Amino acid sequence: MVSAMVCRSAVLGAVTLSLLAVPAQAAPMRSAPGPEAATALPAPDTAGLTAVLRSVVAKGAPGAMARIDDGTQVLRSAQGVADRTSRRALTTTDRFRVGSVTKTFSAVVLLQLVDEHKLALDASVNRYLPGLLPDDRITVRQVLSHRSGLYDYTNDMFASSVSGFEAVRDKVFTYRQLVDLSLKKPRTNAPGAAYSYSNTNFVVAGLLIEKLTGHSVRTEYENRIFKPLQLTDTFYVHPDKKIPGQHANGYLTADQAGAAPVDATDQTVSWAQSAGAIISSARDLDTFYSALVRGKLTSTARLAEMERFTRVNSNTSYGLGLRRRDLSCGVSVYGHTGAVQGYYTYAFTSKDGKRSVTALANASNSSDVLNALAATLEPVFCGKQKSVRSSAVPLEREDVAPAVPTEQ
């Protein structure tokens, strides 16, 4: 039972923190805890988290929120509004578009298919989808780790963020149409030679899921992940454009400084599909990533494959549809970031899955907002001593497709 609720009549912008007692995870862990699991994390710095969320709003987001699930309690913090027109306060129960967090869901389905001996990670994609790709050397593992060299078609689609979005917000693509857009451009590298983030990889993942199961990705997400974990706020509605139930509206920052943001809430997200079209909530994403690292979704061997990371930059590594972020206090956290028009998401968990956080800003196309939101991880996992940083956490722009964030 929630001991404190968000007060709808409170002055907008006030932070609400509430504690919720929750039962311990009942299912046993199927993977051994990593070395970090032996050391207890410091208590979350709730004041530091509040300050970060305030800075996100100050940088231009209509609202920002974060939900921490610490195993025995839930901490909630929210700032600003979910809807710029009605001025309804943003809450941590609002649903939203998760963007590239979808990639982890797609990777989990494929790893389950590996467990079922229906797929081999080091087999050519063309073994399962004959003739799809121009190079038989491109493997399933390379696709899931962004090492295929397939060009990211969204670089061209959203070269101009607002006009690019308006051109596709109501459009419905097939997977193969999106792959064809990629193949019109040279590949970024030889198969396996380098990491290069590309939405094309997880469009290919969606094609693999549908070919190997004979079902839509929606059906596979629902039967393999949503229903077993009781993710009641999580949906894949493509090609429908609406977010079911109470949700945060998402706002795309205009390309021209000073212009009004675009309400991007309603869209097909057909340009992304299995690379970025899932809708969820902070509670459900906390549950999902905790369950994943605890071994509740794959075998121990497949989870180990997922956690074979390639260094991306000074603090980020990438596995199979999974990121590792190394924080200033020496703690590493596991999850994914998400960017889709109108929404930035950070969803990460500790190595043992005992502390998870999902943070949201209902804005996009703003590097200021993005870098401010990235700072939520420090107070959540490092506590007070390491929660104040002299500069924003660096992010690779390619990892926040679509579009290069606007400096505003």
Side-chain angles (χ1 to χ4, degrees):
M1 182 67 70
V2 178
S3 60
M5 300 293 290
V6 174
C7 180
R8 298 289 181 91
S9 61
V11 176
L12 295 182
V15 174
T16 300
L17 288 172
S18 62
L19 302 180
L20 172 68
V22 295
Q25 297 284 352
M29 288 171 48
R30 286 160 48 190
S31 59
E36 298 154 18
T39 303
L41 294 172
D45 177 9
T46 55
L49 179 59
T50 296
V52 169
L53 295 177
R54 284 176 176 163
S55 73
V56 174
V57 174
K59 296 292 186 182
M65 63 85 163
R67 179 188 186 274
I68 307 169
D69 189 332
D70 212 11
T72 58
Q73 65 179 5
V74 170
L75 301 172
R76 298 178 174 89
S77 182
Q79 291 277 331
V81 300
D83 186 328
R84 295 178 72 245
T85 301
S86 70
R87 308 303 295 174
R88 179 179 70 81
L90 180 67
T91 77
T92 59
T93 60
D94 286 336
R95 295 167 180 169
F96 52 90
R97 299 191 184 279
V98 308
S100 287
V101 173
T102 302
K103 291 178 171 66
T104 311
F105 287 81
S106 297
V108 166
V109 173
L110 287 178
L111 289 168
Q112 289 180 355
L113 292 171
V114 174
D115 278 330
E116 296 164 14
H117 307 292
K118 298 176 181 176
L119 179 69
L121 286 173
D122 292 312
S124 170
V125 169
N126 284 347
R127 172 178 169 183
Y128 306 102
L129 298 166
L132 177 70
L133 302 180
D135 194 329
D136 288 340
R137 295 176 298 166
I138 298 174
T139 67
V140 176
R141 186 189 302 276
Q142 290 164 359
V143 162
L144 294 181
S145 59
H146 293 297
R147 297 177 65 82
S148 69
L150 293 171
Y151 180 80
D152 190 343
Y153 59 87
T154 68
N155 292 336
D156 300 319
M157 188 177 285
F158 302 117
S160 177
S161 298
V162 174
S163 61
F165 168 63
E166 294 293 3
V168 300
R169 73 181 299 168
D170 299 322
K171 194 166 183 178
V172 177
F173 294 93
T174 66
Y175 281 126
R176 289 182 181 265
Q177 284 174 329
L178 296 175
V179 172
D180 287 345
L181 289 175
S182 169
L183 296 181
K184 289 179 179 178
K185 292 296 185 74
R187 279 170 278 162
T188 57
N189 51 262
Y195 169 92
S196 182
Y197 190 91
S198 174
N199 284 287
T200 308
N201 289 312
F202 280 80
V203 169
V204 173
L207 273 168
L208 285 167
I209 290 169
E210 296 196 344
K211 177 64 178 292
L212 293 170
T213 66
H215 301 140
S216 68
V217 292
R218 177 191 299 187
T219 296
E220 294 303 308
Y221 291 151
E222 290 176 349
N223 291 341
R224 293 173 178 271
I225 304 174
F226 300 173
K227 291 177 181 177
L229 294 182
Q230 299 181 337
L231 306 183
T232 56
D233 290 324
T234 306
F235 306 90
Y236 185 84
V237 301
H238 173 269
D240 290 346
K241 296 189 294 182
K242 299 290 186 181
I243 300 176
Q246 180 176 296
H247 58 271
N249 282 22
Y251 296 92
L252 176 63
T253 304
D255 295 317
Q256 298 78 31
V262 175
D263 188 329
T265 310
D266 293 346
Q267 56 169 304
T268 63
V269 201
S270 194
W271 63 265
Q273 300 188 51
S274 51
I278 282 177
I279 294 161
S280 193
S281 68
R283 179 196 64 190
D284 280 7
L285 294 185
D286 285 350
T287 299
F288 169 65
Y289 279 110
S290 177
L292 174 61
V293 301
R294 288 171 180 252
K296 295 181 180 180
L297 291 171
T298 69
S299 67
T300 301
R302 298 295 80 73
L303 181 58
E305 296 275 14
M306 205 169 194
E307 295 179 347
R308 289 173 58 182
F309 292 101
T310 297
R311 176 68 67 177
V312 173
N313 59 31
S314 62
N315 67 352
T316 303
S317 301
Y318 205 92
L320 302 183
L322 187 69
R323 294 188 189 283
R324 186 187 73 208
R325 181 62 57 89
D326 303 324
L327 304 180
S328 65
C329 57
V331 170
S332 293
V333 292
Y334 303 78
H336 215 287
T337 55
V340 63
Q341 291 93 350
Y343 305 90
Y344 283 140
T345 302
Y346 272 73
F348 284 85
T349 192
S350 57
K351 175 66 175 176
D352 59 9
K354 292 182 178 179
R355 181 178 299 173
S356 303
V357 67
T358 296
L360 169 77
N362 59 340
S364 70
N365 197 37
S366 169
S367 60
D368 288 343
V369 169
L370 178 64
N371 288 327
L373 188 69
T376 54
L377 299 180
E378 292 283 331
V380 171
F381 294 101
C382 293
K384 291 184 179 180
Q385 293 185 355
K386 292 290 186 180
S387 65
V388 178
R389 307 195 67 175
S390 59
S391 61
V393 177
L395 285 179
E396 292 194 338
R397 289 184 175 185
E398 63 184 358
D399 286 358
V400 295
V404 173
T406 302
E407 301 282 353
Q408 288 186 358

